[in-house]
Amino acid sequence: MIQKFSTKPRFIKVKDVNKTIIRLFYLLPHKNSDVVSKIIMKRILSSCNSIYTNTTDFKRNIKDLLIMDYDVSSQTIGNVCVIVFRLVIPKSSLIDDFSLENSIKFFYESIYKPFTNNNSFDEEHFKWEKDFLLEREKDYPNSINQFAADTFEDFYDEKRNQDIHYDEYINNLKTITNKDVYKFYKKSIINNNFICYIYGNLDDKKNIASIFNKYFKQDKKLFSFDCNFYKFQKLIEYKEKKIKTKYNQSVVNLYYQVDNMKEDDVLLLTTLYYFLASRENDLIYEVLRNKHNLIYNSYVTHSNIYASLIIRVFFSIEDLKTIIDLINDTFEMIKKEDNFNLYKNRLIKALEYDILSQKDDLFNAPNDKISKYITNYDSLSDKLKFVKKLSLNDMVKFLDRIKLTRKMIMVAGDMHE
């Protein structure tokens, strides 16, 4: 879906706060081949610039300017990558020594005047960041869960249509060059437009706008972007695999897909996930651990982007059949009216509690508004409205479209057929 965005800064006043937040959002098409470049770029742009060329001086200057926070983050939703720069500053009149202009100037220089040499980032700093990331992977895998997750991903995503796989990440990290990262920086930041939100305390709004526009000028009033947030996958043929591992626990990994997924189904899948894994119901753990004491632990994850659900259970291999039967029974339990109403009412109470808790965060409302505008984000209030209207019939029809397409059994120690 082609969406138009304004480059004019948007202001949101938040009452009773003494800080102002400036966030810049850069949209670009997501590619797995860009993942490592993005990680290194973010690390470089959050630790130095052309004036403060080492991390110590850079961070000291943030403190000297009385900046409350500065960071670079990113989010990937479907085919959309969002890179976010955030500056948090105090209310201008709150501290005598605070300079609004120097803070915004620093923000600009950190984004648009990085530490470079010969049309690349500084080679020494680049190498330091790359070596840090490589060093961090020396102990891989650092847990049975990490091993299980990555091994299973290679199995259910054989054509690699989804997120970057671990071996791809490592290979890209080892082979990436400084020029690769700088090229990505120019594409995603220098030659790109951004969406700006300024929110919080706006007592000095005119001055903030004037100084911001002095440094951050854009050549377009509007820009268009193809916001494709979903990459629903077609059903793959069922496959089953058994492997032997060095770990002392066995693992069963189950990959479910939603047949003929539509955007209207997104909150249905989220609700099913809440039934199976959230604290108020946690049906998988409740059935397998609390009621039957058959497992060590369990994980349930879901992806609205790819229309999938993963259940991972750690157990003793002799209990495999019983565990699979109980997981199947758990899905059937949801189809019974009394159970469905119980799980639904528990979830409603939990969402209402979370919404009440969010009211303590005065920045929650603007954050929701921003996320909705940029990424079509569903807030807790959106989810609550949906769950309240959800019928048993809707859930039963949806459950009938949930198909198990991959099963991987990881047997602890020696595997006995």
Side-chain angles (χ1 to χ4, degrees):
M1 178 181 69
I2 302 297
Q3 189 170 336
K4 288 187 177 181
F5 296 96
S6 171
T7 60
K8 184 178 180 180
R10 292 168 173 250
F11 291 85
I12 304 175
K13 183 176 182 179
V14 181
K15 294 181 179 179
D16 303 321
V17 296
N18 287 321
K19 64 182 179 182
T20 305
I21 300 174
I22 302 175
R23 291 171 77 191
L24 309 184
F25 300 84
Y26 296 78
L27 307 183
L28 61 149
H30 168 71
K31 297 178 181 178
N32 284 342
S33 57
D34 288 336
V35 167
V36 174
S37 290
K38 179 175 62 178
I39 292 171
I40 295 178
M41 183 197 74
K42 288 189 299 180
R43 293 184 62 84
I44 290 173
L45 296 182
S46 61
S47 59
C48 66
N49 62 26
S50 62
I51 299 168
Y52 302 96
T53 58
N54 66 69
T55 302
T56 301
D57 291 342
F58 185 84
K59 291 184 176 180
R60 183 184 296 119
N61 186 61
I62 290 175
K63 289 184 178 180
D64 291 344
L65 289 172
L66 303 176
I67 291 172
M68 300 172 73
D69 203 1
Y70 163 74
D71 59 54
V72 189
S73 61
S74 64
Q75 183 180 9
T76 299
I77 318 100
N79 287 328
V80 183
C81 173
V82 186
I83 298 172
V84 188
F85 293 86
R86 184 179 70 111
L87 180 74
V88 184
I89 52 179
K91 175 181 174 180
S92 294
S93 61
L94 198 63
I95 304 173
D96 292 339
D97 294 338
F98 173 70
S99 169
L100 177 63
E101 174 145 9
N102 287 342
S103 297
I104 292 178
K105 181 183 178 185
F106 167 81
F107 192 42
Y108 170 80
E109 290 169 343
S110 298
I111 300 171
Y112 288 100
K113 293 187 176 182
F115 185 20
T116 59
N117 289 302
N118 300 320
N119 204 35
S120 294
F121 290 113
D122 177 73
E123 188 63 40
E124 184 178 346
H125 196 93
F126 165 79
K127 186 176 184 303
W128 188 88
E129 297 291 0
K130 178 177 176 178
D131 288 347
F132 171 83
L133 294 173
L134 286 168
E135 181 69 23
R136 194 168 65 176
E137 298 303 323
K138 278 189 174 181
D139 294 330
Y140 175 88
N142 57 34
S143 69
I144 184 176
N145 191 47
Q146 186 177 46
F147 170 80
D150 291 339
T151 304
F152 189 48
E153 182 179 33
D154 291 340
F155 183 49
Y156 70 74
D157 185 29
E158 289 177 309
K159 294 185 178 179
R160 305 203 168 204
N161 294 323
Q162 300 188 26
D163 301 323
I164 188 169
H165 291 224
Y166 182 76
D167 62 332
E168 294 176 290
Y169 169 76
I170 290 298
N171 181 63
N172 290 353
L173 180 56
K174 287 178 178 178
T175 58
I176 199 164
T177 68
N178 193 348
K179 290 191 180 298
D180 293 331
V181 180
Y182 191 74
K183 183 179 178 180
F184 175 76
Y185 164 72
K186 288 189 71 175
K187 174 183 70 174
S188 58
I189 307 300
I190 297 295
N191 299 324
N192 202 0
N193 291 103
F194 60 83
I195 303 160
C196 174
Y197 272 92
I198 301 175
Y199 58 106
N201 185 286
L202 297 180
D203 291 350
D204 202 13
K205 178 182 175 180
K206 287 185 179 180
N207 195 30
I208 293 172
S210 175
I211 295 172
F212 180 84
N213 290 326
K214 175 182 175 182
Y215 290 96
F216 292 91
K217 297 176 182 177
Q218 300 201 68
D219 56 358
K220 296 179 181 178
K221 291 184 179 180
L222 293 171
F223 70 94
S224 300
F225 192 82
D226 187 3
C227 295
N228 185 3
F229 297 118
Y230 302 106
K231 298 170 68 175
F232 302 141
Q233 305 290 297
K234 292 182 179 179
L235 290 186
I236 54 178
E237 62 175 326
Y238 177 81
K239 286 186 181 180
E240 192 172 315
K241 188 175 184 179
K242 184 182 286 187
I243 64 171
K244 181 171 61 179
T245 78
K246 64 180 180 180
Y247 297 98
N248 60 8
Q249 295 178 32
S250 294
V251 187
V252 60
N253 302 274
L254 304 173
Y255 182 74
Y256 299 86
Q257 292 181 270
V258 183
D259 189 16
N260 194 28
M261 180 80 166
K262 301 288 193 300
E263 287 188 30
D264 289 345
D265 298 322
V266 165
L267 286 178
L268 257 170
L269 180 55
T270 300
T271 302
L272 175 60
Y273 165 76
Y274 283 152
F275 279 8
L276 297 175
S278 60
R279 67 185 184 277
E280 60 278 354
N281 288 304
D282 204 3
L283 295 178
I284 295 296
Y285 190 83
E286 174 67 21
V287 170
L288 297 179
R289 174 71 178 187
N290 294 342
K291 286 188 177 180
H292 295 278
N293 198 29
L294 287 171
I295 65 171
Y296 304 108
N297 206 348
S298 65
Y299 291 90
V300 181
T301 59
H302 80 297
S303 172
N304 289 331
I305 296 169
Y306 301 113
S308 63
L309 180 78
I310 294 174
I311 297 175
R312 178 172 300 115
V313 175
F314 301 83
F315 68 107
S316 296
I317 194 63
E318 61 269 17
D319 296 321
L320 176 61
K321 184 180 184 306
T322 303
I323 286 169
I324 295 297
D325 289 343
L326 287 171
I327 290 174
N328 292 334
D329 289 346
T330 302
F331 283 100
E332 293 302 315
M333 285 165 49
I334 299 172
K335 295 180 180 180
K336 296 180 180 178
E337 186 171 5
D338 289 346
N339 290 335
F340 171 79
N341 289 331
L342 174 63
Y343 308 149
K344 175 180 172 176
N345 289 332
R346 283 177 181 169
L347 179 54
I348 288 171
K349 285 185 178 180
L351 289 170
E352 287 174 339
Y353 177 84
D354 288 342
I355 291 170
L356 186 63
S357 178
Q358 277 189 346
K359 290 183 179 180
D360 292 335
D361 180 3
L362 298 176
F363 287 92
N364 184 70
N367 285 334
D368 276 355
K369 183 176 182 179
I370 294 167
S371 296
K372 190 72 174 179
Y373 176 67
I374 297 174
T375 63
N376 199 30
Y377 162 84
D378 290 310
S379 68
L380 288 179
S381 296
D382 294 330
K383 294 173 183 176
L384 178 61
K385 291 175 185 176
F386 176 84
V387 174
K388 282 184 174 180
K389 294 179 180 178
L390 182 62
S391 69
L392 172 62
N393 186 50
D394 289 336
M395 179 57 83
V396 170
K397 287 181 179 179
F398 183 70
L399 285 167
D400 289 340
R401 292 162 53 205
I402 302 292
K403 307 297 181 182
L404 176 65
T405 55
R406 286 289 189 275
K407 178 164 72 173
M408 175 176 272
I409 302 158
M410 300 175 172
V411 183
D414 293 330
M415 185 169 68
H416 303 287
E417 297 292 344

